[in-house]
Amino acid sequence: MTKKDLGAYVEDHFGMDLHEFIRYKVEVESLYDYEIARILNVQPAVIGRLRRRFGIKRAKAFPRRFERIYGLNAVETFKKMIGNPDISLSDVARHFGFSRQYAWQVYKKIYGCPYTEAYKRKRLEKRQES
């Protein structure tokens, strides 16, 4: 199947162009190349080439694995808890049933930076409340 044929198929069945379809599947649904390929009935390498050509990065694997282990919306729960100035990293870890150190690592994987800045911000917010 050529790129043109694939684009026409996506347009007919999903109502969007091929670039938009792949971007949505990767960035919103966090699907991997092989999963998108299965939907379109093509080889995963085809999707990989198209994704690279469109400048779309791979889906992040960590949030999916985290939610598979700790339940649906676990990442959102983690973010809400971390955002609360009254909840510590240890409290978050206790809620999920893992160590404080692993909670620190999860924070870094989700946000891309260490927990230190968030901790300083939380302390500042708590002081201002007092």
Side-chain angles (χ1 to χ4, degrees):
M1 184 179 286
T2 66
K3 182 181 171 187
K4 190 175 182 178
D5 294 338
L6 191 57
Y9 176 82
V10 169
E11 184 74 38
D12 291 343
H13 287 80
F14 300 102
M16 56 180 78
D17 70 344
L18 186 58
H19 177 265
E20 185 182 354
F21 176 80
I22 292 176
R23 181 175 299 283
Y24 181 82
K25 293 297 182 183
V26 170
E27 293 177 358
V28 176
E29 295 183 16
S30 296
L31 295 183
Y32 300 122
D33 291 350
Y34 76 91
E35 294 170 313
I36 299 169
R38 192 176 303 140
I39 293 168
L40 300 176
N41 199 26
V42 296
Q43 293 294 317
V46 171
I47 300 302
R49 282 192 298 274
L50 287 170
R51 183 182 46 73
R52 285 189 297 278
R53 187 177 300 151
F54 293 145
I56 302 169
K57 294 183 179 181
R58 288 184 190 179
K60 293 185 178 180
F62 180 77
R64 282 184 60 178
R65 283 194 316 264
F66 189 77
E67 289 195 347
R68 191 177 327 128
I69 295 168
Y70 297 104
L72 191 61
N73 297 324
V75 173
E76 289 303 314
T77 302
F78 185 89
K79 287 179 177 181
K80 284 180 187 174
M81 291 180 79
I82 285 293
N84 185 339
D86 297 327
I87 296 178
S88 70
L89 199 58
S90 297
D91 295 332
V92 175
R94 207 171 303 112
H95 172 80
F96 285 101
F98 45 70
S99 70
R100 187 198 154 289
Q101 179 63 32
Y102 185 66
W104 189 89
Q105 292 170 356
V106 168
Y107 183 91
K108 188 169 183 178
K109 286 187 184 238
I110 290 173
Y111 290 101
C113 61
Y115 178 70
T116 309
E117 292 302 317
Y119 177 71
K120 288 177 185 176
R121 190 181 68 251
K122 280 183 169 186
R123 281 184 45 205
L124 184 62
E125 287 177 18
K126 264 190 154 177
R127 283 186 195 151
Q128 289 174 351
E129 287 177 3
S130 299

